[in-house]
Amino acid sequence: MRKAWLVARHEYLTMVRKRSFALATLAFPVLIAAFLALTIFLALGRSDDRPLGYVDLAGVLTDEARQAGAADDAFIPFASEAAALAALQAGRIQAYYLLPAGYRESGAVQLTALSEAPPDSAQRAFDAMLRASLLAGQPLAVQQRLADGVNLTVRSIDGRREFSQSNFINLLLPFAAGFFFVYAVLSSAGYLLQAVATEKENRTVEIMATTLSPDHLIAGKAAGLLAVALTQLAVWVAALVLGLAVGAALEPALRAVEVPWTLLAVILLYFLPSFALIGGMMIAIGSVFSEMQQGQQVAGILNLLFMAPFFVLIVLFANPDGPMAVGMTLFPTTSFLTVLIRWGLTTIPAWQLALSWLLLTLSAAASVWAAARIYRAGMLHYGQRLSGPAIRAALRGQAPADELARGHTSS
Amino acid sequence: MNPLDSHTTVQVERLKKSFGAVQAVVDVSFEVYPGEVFGLLGPNGAGKTTSIRMMLDIFRPDAGRVAVFGGPMDEAKKNRIGYMPEERGLYRDLRLEPTLVYLATLKGLSEPAAKGEVTGWLKRLDLYEHRSKRIQELSKGMQQKAQLIATLAHSPDLLVVDEPFSGLDPLNTRLVKQIIQEQADAGKTVVMSTHQMYQVEAMCNRIVLIDRGHSVLYGRVDEIKRRFAGHAVSVAGSGDFAHVPGVLEARPPGENGAWRLALQPGAEPRDLLRTLASRPDVSIDRFEVAEASLDDIFITVVQGQRAEASDA
């Protein structure tokens, strides 16, 4: 096992030191950072330290409400509209609200500003002050309840799922997670294809064959590249968590994000067999084809099988419990992504989850088993692809009959 | 052949290997002992590399038996073997020193020990200043030397080198020869496959000649040369020496101005002299029995075998 570990470490370090890996891994955090920077820039660009004014002709706003709300000096009362207008034109306030005498009947409020309306946060503070004033005299709990409004939570019958207006962001998370996890699996499996072809292209196969067993070599490579995938995911998750933490400070809607523990468990359960399934396929492709380019073309087609749910996204959104959704949940190559997409849309029946995971795991085991056999048969097959009969012979556990007869025997 | 012997580094017994309809190896046997340089000879496609691959457990033979270090190959024994295959290569886009250290650690060395060994070899083979370069940036000769380091860094007890001199200039050829000889002198076993007969003659204690999958000649080099004494003659004169009965191959005059004629198996120098003397188109100034070189023996045996096969 020491040799498999050495291969794993070598593959891991070789891959993470590549510029292409750094670019692929850091692109997402950079995107998040850019988004946050833009948000902060826009927020700062619009900030105006000057207070707001108000003219309360209806006699609604109370001093208590003003003091309980935003900063004490955030709102300046004016006795008349002319005085407020003069202050606005003098630049002492950024805008002023006018509550006309008939406000209690009409509910109409006027806002006057010179060029730009004050930011949402200032307007929310004024609303809060107005509500607090209107509710003055009511018990505190009633004031609080009315101020918070209604938070509607939709819950499934079995209680496994719920969707609340306040945590709408949790609908998006499984979808985003699905995209990133599948992308990670596909890209690291792509590295595996490259890693398998490397020994053939570099003519190092024979050295490796007299150094360690094919099983240790392939296990080491797969483990190393799994670690690469996990590193990439760790960087992305860390970036996402950091982004959410920073974003929550700026955007209250993000504070409602909850850690989707059940979803995380499902992701963990599906991640390994999905990786093994596509990893086995990539190893087999890398072993069959002599040229990297040929292998990549076939691998590209294979990737489509895993990405298929994205192509029928509209159907899945329209009918997340329909036959196509169920079929794709059960089909091994599409199960991971389909489950993640459906997660935010419906309650996936437990039997579908169990059967889909079982089928995925069985396919993954078959894929790894076949890959190991094809790898052994193809490892010394320089300059030409492994023929169909040779692949069948390898899968039956026989020596590939025509493998070396056509041009490989060098002496 | 004796029963598997623990004092023998390699025992190969009646190996057979087919790939579909092609019989790559039909019947190959030999033994290799510690401290000797053993030559594996044969024309292209004879089955040398396939025999080596079976010897090293890269291929499983269809029949026959291989024993390395007294028994079948296992993972631990792989650490005692250094193999430089004919199909050469290292990880082209990686840097030289870390690649060699990685390969040495895979052969069982600890990382510090591997670094120490690799540094020593890099210095000896004039590659130390190139240690940080990517392998693809090295010249072909440098890559060849790097491959040799990968074969030797873990101090293997059995060294198997397939065409070790190809791609090397005369200076580096001499250096590699010296290293191979040092390994044998240190008690290591060396199996060398090459087409360069003069190298075999200069370096090998014993040889096996493989032709069409059969071992057709096997034994000590000096004994074989004695056995084949009289299978070549040196003739100075004029005329067509190439198409004379009993002559397998005629090499045009070299520095000494004499033709070198390799004789067919069974042909006697005195019969040839009689034939030449009777031909009006040939005049002879000098005729002498030459010591057979391995080149002559190779040609005599291989072409003789083929002539016999076509007669049959």
Side-chain angles (χ1 to χ4, degrees), chain A residues 23 60 77 88 90 152 156 198 201 205 230 270 323 341 354-355 361 365 409:
Chain A
L23 283 175
V60 171
L88 178 66
L152 185 68
S156 67
T198 300
E201 286 198 338
V205 165
L230 292 174
Y270 275 75
I341 291 173
L355 183 59
T361 306
T409 45

Side-chain angles (χ1 to χ4, degrees), chain B residues 30-57:
Chain B
F30 58 84
E31 289 182 353
V32 193
Y33 305 111
E36 74 171 350
V37 180
F38 184 79
L40 206 59
L41 316 181
N44 291 333
K48 299 192 300 288
T49 299
T50 305
S51 297
I52 288 177
R53 286 173 176 161
M54 285 191 280
M55 186 177 102
L56 296 176
D57 201 36

Side-chain angles (χ1 to χ4, degrees), chain B residues 84-152:
Chain B
M84 185 157 88
E86 190 187 14
E87 291 272 8
R88 302 228 207 294
L90 288 171
Y91 298 94
R92 292 176 53 76
D93 53 347
L94 301 187
R95 296 185 194 282
L96 177 60
E97 190 180 31
T99 303
L100 294 174
V101 169
Y102 166 59
L103 292 173
T105 54
L106 278 179
K107 285 287 192 181
L109 292 194
S110 67
E111 201 156 309
K115 275 184 183 157
E117 288 293 328
V118 166
T119 302
W121 281 109
L122 284 171
K123 284 180 177 167
R124 181 165 183 197
L125 292 172
D126 291 330
L127 288 174
Y128 189 66
E129 65 199 56
H130 304 287
R131 67 190 183 282
S132 301
K133 284 186 181 168
R134 291 184 196 283
I135 288 165
Q136 62 194 359
E137 293 165 8
L138 302 176
S139 72
K140 197 180 169 194
M142 286 177 182
Q143 290 188 26
Q144 178 92 334
K145 288 195 284 183
Q147 188 97 38
L148 188 68
I149 296 175
T151 313
L152 291 167

Side-chain angles (χ1 to χ4, degrees), chain B residues 257-275:
Chain B
W259 286 76
R260 189 176 177 88
L261 309 180
L263 304 190
Q264 284 173 350
E268 291 295 329
R270 62 173 178 275
D271 297 333
L272 178 66
L273 179 60
R274 205 172 292 130
T275 308

Side-chain angles (χ1 to χ4, degrees), chain B residues 15-36:
Chain B
L15 285 190
K16 188 180 260 191
K17 181 76 180 174
S18 297
F19 299 109
V22 178
Q23 287 190 305
V25 172
V26 183
D27 183 6
V28 167
S29 302
F30 58 84
E31 289 182 353
V32 193
Y33 305 111
E36 74 171 350

